[in-house]
């Protein structure tokens, strides 16, 4: 991943995790907790693709596993968000622009259901049966409902920031400067001006031929 991707992804993940732990987790809503971290990973995956989505998801999930008051095995949520980020990145628009809100909303619904089921499934493998006591159908319904309500305020903004970072003006300026420096170096080393000077070169070549022909005639006359 490029530096601007890493910086932006890290910043957004940290902000989302802080909001998740300090605000959303303390609302004590019935059923699931609104997962702003999941929505952040989805927004980045829809711009960066499946590889970037998997990397961002793994990093975000690992931070969530280690952040207090985590009460589950480390790596559990990292695995969930890694898989979700990879799958979400597979439906990345080819142009990077989303034509309608229907596509991202479908992705949010599928991610909310998939992450809940995958988290409960991994938990059952390590002996965590909390999902059974709470009720899996209720968790699925509330997870989808909360994430859908929160998605319009999170996913579009994350995608806009990610696309803006992809079109980094600093990188374009650096590229332009590199091109100018290369052109100047070529011009200084060869005495030729690059770009739009072909006619001048032709005139110089024609003058050189005329001068050479004049010298040859002068020699013949002697």
């Amino acid at each position: 991943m490029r530096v601007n991707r890493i910086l932006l992804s890290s910043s957004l993940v940290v902000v989302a995790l802080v909001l998740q732990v300090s605000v959303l987790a303390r609302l004590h809503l019935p059923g699931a907790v609104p997962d702003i971290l999941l929505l952040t990973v989805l927004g980045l995956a829809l711009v960066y693709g499946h590889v970037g989505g998997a990397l961002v998801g793994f990093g975000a999930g690992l931070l969530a596993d280690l952040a207090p008051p985590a009460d589950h095995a480390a790596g559990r949520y990292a695995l969930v968000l890694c898989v979700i980020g990879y799958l979400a990145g597979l439906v990345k628009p080819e142009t990077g622009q989303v034509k309608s809100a229907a596509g991202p909303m479908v992705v949010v619904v599928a991610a909310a259901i998939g992450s809940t089921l995958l988290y409960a499934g991994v938990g059952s493998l390590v002996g965590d049966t909390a999902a059974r006591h709470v009720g899996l159908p209720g968790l699925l319904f509330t997870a989808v409902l909360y994430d859908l309500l929160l998605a319009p305020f999170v996913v579009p903004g994350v995608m806009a920031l990610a696309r803006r970072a992809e079109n980094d003006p600093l990188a374009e300026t650096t590229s332009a400067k590199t091109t100018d420096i290369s052109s100047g170096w070529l011009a200084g080393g060869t005495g030729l001006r690059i770009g739009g000077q072909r006619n001048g070169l032709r005139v110089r070549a024609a003058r050189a031929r005329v001068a050479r022909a004049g010298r040859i005639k002068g020699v013949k006359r002697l």
Side-chain angles (χ1 to χ4, degrees):
M1 296 178 70
R2 295 185 297 182
V3 175
N4 54 347
R5 285 189 178 188
I6 296 174
L7 293 177
L8 177 64
S9 302
S10 302
S11 302
L12 292 176
V13 165
V14 169
V15 171
L17 182 60
V18 171
L19 292 175
Q20 183 81 29
V21 174
S22 62
V23 178
L24 298 178
R26 298 185 179 183
L27 294 178
H28 301 294
L29 296 173
V33 177
D35 199 342
I36 190 174
L37 192 61
L38 171 65
L39 298 177
T40 302
V41 172
L42 292 180
L44 293 173
L46 290 174
V47 177
Y48 294 158
H50 59 283
V51 176
L55 293 175
V56 172
F58 179 80
L62 189 60
L63 286 178
D65 289 332
L66 300 177
D71 57 353
H72 55 268
R76 180 177 172 184
Y77 201 46
L79 173 62
V80 172
L81 286 188
C82 181
V83 174
I84 296 298
Y86 179 85
L87 296 178
L90 292 177
V91 298
K92 167 191 172 183
E94 295 182 358
T95 60
Q97 299 287 339
V98 179
K99 297 181 179 179
S100 66
M105 290 298 104
V106 172
V107 173
V108 169
V109 173
I113 296 174
S115 62
T116 304
L117 292 176
L118 187 58
Y119 187 82
V122 175
S124 64
L125 295 177
V126 296
D128 185 1
T129 59
R132 297 180 183 178
H133 299 294
V134 177
L136 191 57
L139 282 177
L140 290 173
F141 176 76
T142 53
V144 171
L145 177 62
Y146 297 153
D147 290 348
L148 275 178
L149 292 176
L150 194 60
F153 304 99
V154 178
V155 177
V158 171
M159 293 182 67
L161 289 174
R163 284 196 298 265
R164 186 175 181 180
E166 288 293 277
N167 301 323
D168 188 2
L170 180 60
E172 295 177 359
T173 304
T174 304
S175 177
K177 289 182 178 179
T178 303
T179 303
D180 294 339
I181 292 172
S182 300
S183 300
W185 180 76
L186 289 174
T190 61
L192 303 179
R193 293 185 180 181
I194 307 301
Q197 300 297 331
R198 294 182 179 178
N199 292 331
L201 292 177
R202 291 175 181 174
V203 171
R204 292 182 182 179
R207 290 178 180 176
R209 287 196 296 269
V210 172
R212 187 166 56 253
R215 288 195 298 270
I216 294 174
K217 290 181 180 179
V219 172
K220 288 182 178 180
R221 288 178 183 178
L222 291 175

